[in-house]
Amino acid sequence: MIGTIVNVASVLTGSTIGVLFRGKFPEKVQTTVIHGISLAVILIGMKMAFSIEKDPDILLVIFSLVIGAVIGELMGLETRLNEFGEHLKERFGGEDDLFVQGFVQASLIYCVGAMAIMGSIQDGLNGDPSILFTKSLLDGITSIAFAASTGIGVAFSVIPILIYQGSITLAAGWAAVYLTEDMIRIMTASGGLLITAIGLNMLGVSKIKTGNLLPALLVAIFLTAFVF
């Protein structure tokens, strides 16, 4: 699990640096920085979303999102995520109004994507953490910007990173057998749309409940297995 451990360390380091710079610039500068970060997040999400290749891919992504949204709403995942964030805020965040936002958004961005999945599988199967090392570099850099704008909540995204990537690494043998390239492609495209939605939320142009869309990633696996 060396790759995940390095990933956690990079986010913690980047978040610490970001928090040190928080509030050091005028509000208008911070607002513009947040807008810039939001656009970059949208770009990352769109790049992932355009990973679709075959004709059924778009329909699979649509059905994954629709079914996932129903499951997520019934389970109240967005509310549960926010409640967990609020619990962390009460213990560690003080009066930071952006704590929960930073925690939830960073958690989703860092855990949704092919690098998190494939990197963890490769680390678990072959002891090769190279993909996660690359992800760690990217996450570390972005965590500086996120923490500078939303605060220490970003640092606590290491909890879902550790659980999510650690679990995949430990179950790498099973994952490598059952997760096909088609499944990962549809998961990546669906996850890309979730990340795009996060970017839009950060810009303030929408209030999409991205947490309630998370089941779409699991739904994508089962639908893809049925079609392909």
Side-chain angles (χ1 to χ4, degrees), residues 6 23 25 29 31 56 65 69 79 92-93 105-106 112 116 118-121 152 179 184 205 213 222:
V6 171
F25 302 100
V29 173
T31 300
L65 290 171
T79 301
F92 307 104
Q105 291 179 344
V112 175
M118 293 309 301
S120 299
I121 291 175
I152 194 63
L179 285 180
I184 293 173
V205 299
L213 290 170
F222 293 105

Side-chain angles (χ1 to χ4, degrees), residues 82-102:
N82 288 330
E83 287 176 349
F84 182 57
E86 288 289 351
H87 174 69
L88 292 175
K89 176 186 173 182
E90 289 175 4
R91 296 197 61 182
F92 307 104
E95 300 299 321
D96 190 347
D97 293 334
L98 294 176
F99 183 98
V100 177
Q101 178 183 331

Side-chain angles (χ1 to χ4, degrees), residues 31-49 109-110 138 141-143 145-146 191-192 194-203:
T31 300
T32 303
V33 168
I34 293 175
H35 289 166
I37 295 171
S38 303
L39 292 173
V41 169
I42 292 173
L43 176 62
I44 293 170
M46 291 179 66
K47 182 179 179 181
M48 291 172 58
I109 291 171
Y110 294 151
L138 296 173
I141 294 173
T142 55
S143 65
F146 283 139
L194 266 65
I195 291 179
T196 301
I198 292 171
L200 293 173
N201 288 348
M202 291 172 66
L203 283 175

Side-chain angles (χ1 to χ4, degrees), residues 1-5 116-127 132 161-176:
M1 283 182 57
I2 185 65
T4 296
I5 293 172
I117 299 171
M118 293 309 301
S120 299
I121 291 175
Q122 186 171 318
D123 192 11
L125 274 183
N126 307 319
L132 288 183
I161 290 174
L162 185 61
I163 295 173
Y164 180 67
Q165 291 182 184
S167 299
I168 295 176
T169 299
L170 293 176
W174 174 88

Side-chain angles (χ1 to χ4, degrees), residues 62-72 215-216 219 223:
I62 292 173
F63 281 114
S64 295
L65 290 171
V66 171
I67 298 172
V70 173
I71 296 173
V219 174
L223 287 182

